[in-house]
Amino acid sequence: MRVLIVDDEADIRMILRINLERMGHEVQTAPNAAQAYDLLAEGGVDTLLLDVSMPGETGLQLVRRLRADGLLPPRVALLSAMLPDTWLDSADAEGILQLPKPFGIADLQGLVASLDAIP
């Protein structure tokens, strides 16, 4: 999998990157939605892991913009310490997986397995 991690917390990006690379995945990172959009516009990403709450554009807003522009990768998961019910409903309706923070390595491995199952 070619994964793009989008999170405003550098520590989260680093932890995810290290563990995903150990699992054999190709990983890029971005600290915000604007940089993520640019990387996705370049192509080559098939999986998007993004934080919901970021300064500026939120994860769900980015998903909607990417979908409208035909740039949304086939595999998407939202990472968040707190997902309001309305966001959960929106994510579920859009077929987006969720990984609540804090999470452990086993949780990340389970998420990756679920994402790998998406064609």
Side-chain angles (χ1 to χ4, degrees), residues 13-93:
R13 289 193 312 270
M14 181 186 65
I15 290 166
L16 288 169
R17 177 183 210 131
I18 289 168
N19 284 287
L20 288 169
E21 286 175 345
R22 285 181 181 162
M23 290 179 211
H25 303 290
E26 227 178 280
V27 180
Q28 291 180 289
T29 65
N32 56 51
Q35 287 185 20
Y37 187 92
D38 291 343
L39 289 169
L40 288 161
E42 292 173 10
V45 173
D46 55 36
T47 304
L48 179 61
L49 302 181
L50 73 155
D51 189 14
V52 171
S53 300
M54 296 182 288
E57 191 172 23
T58 69
L60 279 176
Q61 289 169 330
L62 176 60
V63 164
R64 290 182 183 125
R65 185 161 63 111
L66 290 166
R67 181 172 281 131
D69 293 346
L71 298 173
L72 188 67
R75 299 172 190 95
V76 180
L78 294 174
L79 313 171
S80 181
M82 182 185 294
L83 285 172
D85 288 343
T86 54
W87 288 17
L88 286 172
D89 293 343
S90 294
D92 287 342

